[in-house]
């Protein structure tokens, strides 16, 4: 193997989804890439040209332009381009040229299509969002409101420049809005402080009004990203205030645009795959709230958003398992790490704790079990540091009862099904959402099918599971209203998790049990239940549409909280919704309540 091929393999190991390929396949694919060296400002391809393959930047930068010459993307190392045109009709849908001296690898079209056909990770990555004409992740077509990174910081015109400088330093920003009340009258940048204060020897007590840029050009929140790009490029400015009805509501900077390009699920997965320390991983997962805002702002379907966010949690977990093995040595016997809860269902949002367990091979010795206890602690502590906080119910692999040999897992499920106590119902509900994350998957596959067959045949257990699924109810009040939380921090809010998506997830779990369906994802379970005849076509369609609305509004509310500078949570105030939105949300809750009632009466759930 020559040095060039070794270098290409090493590079591809840091790029998703190539990092998912088996070693032999990765080496083969690496040998298929054609290396090209481009000088700055060189055309790579233009709109309408036949594409020979897809392009991967190894070094340098590329600008991608639309048919009107508008800037679509600024790409850097490890970014791919040209794939959409190749997958559509083989013709370039954009124009691409280098911004600086660049090394660009080209994978021939026939090899690219073979990877799409053979490897699900490639199909998911390159087909993400296709078929949904309403979605976008391009800066140019997103609304400005979805690009604002944080709440705006401002000062009054008479603020001393020294105080303004301290404000920028403490907030780690490069500009301030200057406001008279809420009205924007100017902006102050770090460059202004350097050029107009330090360079001219002005006093630290000089009022900001003396050195600010007065009456700066601005955009409304309803403008598009392309407007920002055009203004910044044409006027050679790096800060653009956002104003609504005269009020200063945000600031967009070149750093924000770069951050947007750098935050995607694929980029986060890539960065996690290359992390060698938990602190590095935590720095990556800290970008998840911003990813949530971008995905929601790009009008992605809720199941796409939660799937992409869950993929990040899966990557964190697998990376932590690898780090644990690097520290402790190779596992002495086969094991499997599994997620349950929202991660198990691939439904994580911007706020998630950790729910996990381990299945250990039956041949494990007591010393082996000590090894896995240490591994579980390393992984669970790492997840907590990365923002996946410890489960308050201790449903984690660090608990001795959830880190056991396969035969004991089999005993657990047999006991829960044979004697469905309240605890057994709760535990079975959680464990029916298990999904393998890392290790030997066969340890679970046989156990899963055995358990589903055993449970579906036990009518008493099914009846108890139905009763358990009805404990969470939609928040419906009297006379077309909502039953909101009555006291505490979230008074007059709806819990969009426990009274929103959880009732649907509980219904879907029962349908999966009745139909012996192996899917863990709620939407997939509902679709599977319809296909298996567990619920009627009309009932399934109504419930899926209701679930889509509830889950989407939950995500939109979380994104709104992030944009306003708060942590995302699951609590929504109905007063924040329009009459139209309130009406449709209530109708969705009515559908869920109706399906709960049908399940209770049609399947004989115990009282």
């Amino acid at each position: 193997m020559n040095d060039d091929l070794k270098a290409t393999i090493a590079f591809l190991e840091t790029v998703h989804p190539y990092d998912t390929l088996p070693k032999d396949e990765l080496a083969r694919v690496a040998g298929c890439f054609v290396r090209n060296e481009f000088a700055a400002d060189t055309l790579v391809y233009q709109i309408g040209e036949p594409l020979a393959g897809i392009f991967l930047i190894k070094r340098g930068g590329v600008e991608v332009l639309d048919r009107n010459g508008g800037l679509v993307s600024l790409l850097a190392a490890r970014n791919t381009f040209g794939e959409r045109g190749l997958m559509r009709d083989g013709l370039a849908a954009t124009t691409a040229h280098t911004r600086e001296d660049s090394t660009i690898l080209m994978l021939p079209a026939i090899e690219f299509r073979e990877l799409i056909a053979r490897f699900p990770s490639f199909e998911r990555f390159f087909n993400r969002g296709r078929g949904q004409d309403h979605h976008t992740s391009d800066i140019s077509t997103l609304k400005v409101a979805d690009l604002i990174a944080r709440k705006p910081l401002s000062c009054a015109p008479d603020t001393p420049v020294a105080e303004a400088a301290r404000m920028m330093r403490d907030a780690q920003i490069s500009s301030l809005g200057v406001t008279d009340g809420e009205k924007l009258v100017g902006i102050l940048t770090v460059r202004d402080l350097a050029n107009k204060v330090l360079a001219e020897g002005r006093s630290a007590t000089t009022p900001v009004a003396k050195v600010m840029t007065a009456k700066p050009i601005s955009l409304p929140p309803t403008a598009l990203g392309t407007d920002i790009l055009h203004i910044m490029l044409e006027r050679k400015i790096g800060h653009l205030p956002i104003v609504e009805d005269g009020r200063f509501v945000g600031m967009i900077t070149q750093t924000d645009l770069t951050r947007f390009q750098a935050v995607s699920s694929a980029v986060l997965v890539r960065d996690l795959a290359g992390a060698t320390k938990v602190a590095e991983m935590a720095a990556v997962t800290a970008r998840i709230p911003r990813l949530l805002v971008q995905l929601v702002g790009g009008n992605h379907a809720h199941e796409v958003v939660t799937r992409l966010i869950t993929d990040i949690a899966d990557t964190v977990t697998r990376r932590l398992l690898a780090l644990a093995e690097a520290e402790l040595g190779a596992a002495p016997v086969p094991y499997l790490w599994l997620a349950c809860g929202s991660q198990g269902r691939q439904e994580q949002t911007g706020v998630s704790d950790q729910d996990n367990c381990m299945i250990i091979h039956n041949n494990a010795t007591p010393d082996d079990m000590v090894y896995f206890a240490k591994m579980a602690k390393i992984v669970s502590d790492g997840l907590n540091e990365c923002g996946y906080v410890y489960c308050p119910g201790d449903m984690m692999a660090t608990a001795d009862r959830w880190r056991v040999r396969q035969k004991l897992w089999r005993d657990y499920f047999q006991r829960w099904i044979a004697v469905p106590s309240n605890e057994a119902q709760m535990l079975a509900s959680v464990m029916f959402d298990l999904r393998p994350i890392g290790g030997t998957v066969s340890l679970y596959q046989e156990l899963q099918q055995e358990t589903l067959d055993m449970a579906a045949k036990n009518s008493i257990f099914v009846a108890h599971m139905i009763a358990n699924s009805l404990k969470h109810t939609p928040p419906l009040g009297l006379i077309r209203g909502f039953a909101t939380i009555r006291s505490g921090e979230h008074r007059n809010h709806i819990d969009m998790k426990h009274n929103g998506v959880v009732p649907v997830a509980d219904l879907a779990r029962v349908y999966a049990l009745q139909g012996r369906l192996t899917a863990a994802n709620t939407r997939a379970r509902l679709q599977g239940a319809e296909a298996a005849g567990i619920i009627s076509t009309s009932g399934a369609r109504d419930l899926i549409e209701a679930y889509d609305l509830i889950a989407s509004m939950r995500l939109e509310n979380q994104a709104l909280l992030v944009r306003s500078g708060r942590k995302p949570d699951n609590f929504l105030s109905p007063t924040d919704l329009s009459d139209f939105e309130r009406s449709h949300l209530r109708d969705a809750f009515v559908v869920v309540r109706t399906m709960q009632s049908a399940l209770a009466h049609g399947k004989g759930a115990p009282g």
Side-chain angles (χ1 to χ4, degrees):
M1 184 182 296
N2 62 47
D3 291 342
D4 286 345
L5 181 56
K6 288 180 180 178
T8 302
I9 292 172
F11 173 66
L12 293 178
E13 286 176 338
T14 70
V15 180
H16 191 72
Y18 301 96
D19 60 344
T20 66
L21 292 174
K23 288 186 178 180
D24 290 348
E25 182 65 17
L26 180 62
R28 187 194 71 78
V29 172
C32 296
F33 274 94
V34 178
R35 179 188 176 105
N36 295 283
E37 299 291 343
F38 290 94
D41 200 25
T42 300
L43 183 70
V44 180
Y45 60 72
Q46 59 186 1
I47 288 177
E49 257 185 30
L51 291 168
I54 65 165
F55 299 86
L56 174 62
I57 304 172
K58 186 175 182 183
R59 176 185 63 89
V62 170
E63 284 187 0
V64 179
L65 310 176
D66 62 21
R67 63 180 60 256
N68 298 315
L71 184 62
V72 173
S73 297
L74 297 173
L75 305 179
R78 296 183 178 82
N79 287 158
T80 297
F81 60 102
E83 73 274 17
R84 293 196 180 276
L86 189 63
M87 295 171 72
R88 185 176 61 184
D89 55 14
L91 301 178
T94 54
T95 293
H97 66 86
T98 56
R99 301 171 55 232
E100 55 191 282
D101 292 350
S102 302
T103 302
I104 299 177
L105 306 179
M106 191 276 289
L107 182 66
I110 189 171
E111 297 294 340
F112 173 64
R113 293 191 175 101
E114 183 177 345
L115 289 173
I116 293 288
R118 289 177 55 205
F119 295 98
S121 59
F122 277 78
E123 195 280 331
R124 284 197 303 268
F125 182 80
F126 287 106
N127 278 318
R128 62 195 187 280
R130 295 183 79 229
Q132 298 181 31
D133 293 337
H134 63 282
H135 112 274
T136 178
S137 288
D138 289 335
I139 288 177
S140 60
T141 51
L142 279 179
K143 288 185 178 179
V144 166
D146 294 321
L147 293 169
I148 297 174
R150 63 170 80 195
K151 292 179 69 174
L153 194 62
S154 63
C155 66
D158 59 356
T159 303
V161 291
E163 183 180 337
R166 284 191 292 269
M167 291 175 66
M168 284 191 269
R169 178 200 63 191
D170 294 344
Q172 296 183 327
I173 57 177
S174 57
S175 61
L176 284 176
V178 183
T179 56
D180 183 2
E182 291 188 330
K183 182 181 179 182
L184 181 75
V185 295
I187 65 169
L188 179 73
T189 68
V190 169
R191 180 175 292 182
D192 291 329
L193 294 176
N195 293 344
K196 300 177 182 179
V197 179
L198 289 177
E200 296 183 7
R202 290 178 184 260
S203 166
T205 60
T206 302
V208 162
K210 296 286 187 180
V211 295
M212 70 181 187
T213 299
K215 298 179 181 179
I217 186 170
S218 64
L219 284 175
T222 54
L224 296 179
T226 188
D227 300 320
I228 295 174
L229 293 167
H230 289 167
I231 289 174
M232 284 188 171
L233 289 171
E234 289 173 12
R235 301 192 176 225
K236 294 182 174 59
I237 58 176
H239 302 81
L240 188 63
I242 309 304
V243 174
E244 184 174 29
D245 297 329
R247 293 182 300 108
F248 177 49
V249 297
M251 183 81 76
I252 300 289
T253 69
Q254 287 183 343
T255 301
D256 294 326
L257 301 185
T258 303
R259 184 185 295 115
F260 180 93
Q261 291 293 124
V263 178
S264 73
S265 62
V267 170
L268 266 60
V269 165
R270 179 203 69 198
D271 291 349
L272 289 167
T276 58
K277 297 178 181 178
V278 175
E280 294 174 6
M281 300 168 68
V284 177
T285 55
R287 288 142 60 187
I288 290 177
R290 186 62 200 163
L291 173 64
L292 172 71
V293 170
Q294 289 181 192
L295 292 172
V296 172
N299 291 319
H300 290 268
H302 72 88
E303 67 271 20
V304 173
V305 177
T306 54
R307 169 60 185 274
L308 293 175
I309 289 176
T310 305
D311 283 349
I312 295 168
D314 291 355
T315 303
V316 171
T317 306
R318 285 191 287 268
R319 191 73 191 113
L320 288 168
L321 287 168
L323 293 178
E325 289 200 40
E327 178 178 337
L328 302 174
V333 296
Y335 73 93
L336 180 63
W337 185 283
L338 305 98
C340 43
S342 60
Q343 186 182 0
R345 296 190 304 273
Q346 295 180 298
E347 294 166 6
Q348 286 192 312
T349 64
V351 51
S352 294
D353 58 6
Q354 56 175 290
D355 297 285
N356 46 62
C357 62
M358 292 183 78
I359 300 177
I360 314 297
H361 194 277
N362 290 330
N363 292 340
T365 66
D367 286 343
D368 295 339
M369 298 306 288
V370 172
Y371 170 97
F372 289 114
K374 292 178 180 178
M375 170 181 273
K377 178 168 174 52
I378 290 172
V379 176
S380 186
D381 287 350
L383 287 170
N384 182 69
E385 189 172 337
C386 290
Y388 305 97
V389 298
Y390 298 121
C391 174
D394 204 26
M395 188 70 68
M396 298 181 295
T398 48
D400 291 342
R401 68 187 302 198
W402 305 131
R403 187 187 66 256
V404 297
R405 298 174 181 86
Q406 186 190 43
K407 59 186 178 183
L408 186 50
W409 275 107
R410 184 172 279 107
D411 292 343
Y412 281 169
F413 280 107
Q414 288 176 347
R415 193 183 321 139
W416 294 337
I417 293 168
V419 186
S421 64
N422 288 337
E423 183 187 35
Q425 294 171 39
M426 184 274 292
L427 293 175
S429 294
V430 173
M431 294 305 170
F432 275 122
D433 292 350
L434 286 175
R435 183 172 59 85
I437 303 298
T440 305
V441 177
S442 59
L443 289 171
Y444 175 66
Q445 289 173 329
E446 181 182 344
L447 180 64
Q448 181 189 37
Q449 198 57 58
E450 285 178 12
T451 302
L452 283 173
D453 291 343
M454 189 190 324
K457 292 174 182 176
N458 190 319
S459 59
I460 295 176
F461 176 76
V462 173
H464 277 276
M465 286 293 289
I466 290 172
N468 188 66
S469 74
L470 304 177
K471 290 181 179 178
H472 294 101
T473 58
L476 292 170
L478 299 175
I479 317 175
R480 301 290 300 170
F482 294 101
T484 58
I485 298 170
R486 294 184 177 180
S487 61
E489 178 186 359
H490 302 296
R491 183 173 178 268
N492 296 328
H493 286 67
I494 296 170
D495 186 337
M496 293 293 284
K497 177 181 177 181
H498 291 104
N499 301 113
V501 296
V502 166
V504 185
D506 289 344
L507 284 171
R509 188 182 301 110
V510 172
Y511 299 148
L513 175 61
Q514 292 173 330
R516 306 182 192 185
L517 308 174
T518 58
N521 178 263
T522 296
R523 207 171 190 277
R525 281 172 165 172
L526 296 177
Q527 292 170 331
E530 177 189 0
I534 304 300
I535 50 178
S536 68
T537 297
S538 61
R541 300 290 168 80
D542 287 347
L543 187 54
I544 289 172
E545 288 186 12
Y547 176 60
D548 287 346
L549 178 66
I550 295 166
S552 296
M553 293 186 76
R554 177 193 184 199
L555 286 175
E556 289 165 5
N557 185 58
Q558 289 189 3
L560 181 64
L561 292 172
V562 173
R563 284 199 297 267
S564 65
R566 291 176 285 173
K567 289 184 178 181
D569 61 34
N570 291 300
F571 300 96
L572 169 69
S573 172
T575 58
D576 291 338
L577 303 176
S578 67
D579 290 343
F580 181 83
E581 290 170 323
R582 283 197 297 271
S583 176
H584 280 271
L585 180 59
R586 192 179 191 283
D587 288 345
F589 287 144
V590 169
V591 170
V592 177
R593 174 71 64 82
T594 301
M595 295 300 286
Q596 285 183 324
S597 179
L599 182 64
H601 292 92
K603 301 300 179 181

